Amino acid sequence: MLSNTVLNHNQINRRNKMSGLDKPFTPPEKIATVWGKGSEFVQICFQSRGCRYSNAGYCIMCDYGRGRNLNPEEVDSYLRTSGVLSDSRIKELLIGSYGSCLDEYEISSECFKVILQNLSLCHVPLIGFETHCDTITAKKLDTIKRLLS
C-alpha cells in the first residue's frame, strides 16, 4: 500500500511539473518579458495561460510559465509604450507567448492582429513567431502576409 501511495504521489508531482502546475503565476501587470534588449536579436514573450500541450501534461518543449491571456488593449498599450519596437539595433525579432503565439487558446485573433499592426510600423527586417506546428494555418499565414506586407 505504501508503494502505491509513493508511486501515485510521484506521478502527481511529475504531471504537475510537466503541466506547469508547479510554477507560480506571472503577476497580472507583467504583460511581456523581453530577452536581448539592446542587441540585434530580441524576443518578446507575451504572458498567456500557457501552452495547451504543456498544460495537458504531454509536452515539455518550451514551458515558459503560467499567467493569464491578455486583451488587445493591453497588448497595444505595451507595444506602443515599451520602446522595444523602436530600437533601431534590432535585426531579428521573435514573437512568442508561454507556448504558441499562433494558438488562439493563448493569443486571441484580436490580440494577434494588434501585434501584427504594431509590427507593421517597426523597421525590423526579420520577424519570427514561436509556435507549435499544429497552430500554423493558411488563415494565420494570410493574416500575417496581409498585415506585414
Side-chain angles (χ1 to χ4, degrees):
M1 186 66 142
L2 179 60
S3 63
N4 285 342
T5 303
V6 171
L7 181 60
N8 288 338
H9 180 68
N10 287 338
Q11 288 172 328
I12 289 169
N13 282 341
R14 183 168 184 264
R15 185 201 69 219
N16 287 348
K17 284 187 186 308
M18 288 180 67
S19 68
L21 294 175
D22 64 330
K23 292 186 174 188
F25 276 95
T26 301
E29 66 278 2
K30 185 175 177 84
I31 303 301
T33 301
V34 178
W35 290 289
K37 224 176 194 176
S39 67
E40 290 186 355
F41 176 83
V42 172
Q43 179 175 1
I44 302 174
C45 181
F46 288 98
Q47 177 175 173
S48 73
R49 71 174 76 173
C51 173
R52 73 170 66 229
Y53 303 103
S54 179
N55 289 344
Y58 57 86
C59 181
I60 56 171
M61 181 64 184
C62 51
D63 201 15
Y64 293 123
R66 292 180 3 166
R68 64 184 178 84
N69 285 1
L70 303 171
N71 65 55
E73 293 78 21
E74 291 173 301
V75 172
D76 189 52
S77 175
Y78 176 81
L79 289 173
R80 289 180 186 274
T81 62
S82 69
V84 176
L85 297 183
S86 61
D87 188 338
S88 62
R89 295 171 290 192
I90 300 174
K91 304 293 182 236
E92 186 176 352
L93 179 63
L94 181 62
I95 302 295
S97 63
Y98 287 172
S100 298
C101 72
L102 298 184
D103 190 347
E104 290 186 20
Y105 174 81
E106 295 184 64
I107 303 291
S108 70
S109 58
E110 295 82 11
C111 281
F112 191 65
K113 190 178 285 187
V114 166
I115 291 169
L116 293 175
Q117 289 167 340
N118 279 277
L119 290 175
S120 72
L121 303 173
C122 75
H123 302 287
V124 176
L126 185 59
I127 298 172
F129 301 95
E130 185 174 13
T131 197
H132 190 278
C133 62
D134 288 348
T135 66
I136 301 169
T137 65
K139 182 179 177 183
K140 286 279 186 187
L141 294 175
D142 286 342
T143 302
I144 292 168
K145 184 177 179 181
R146 182 172 39 83
L147 293 176
L148 291 185
S149 294

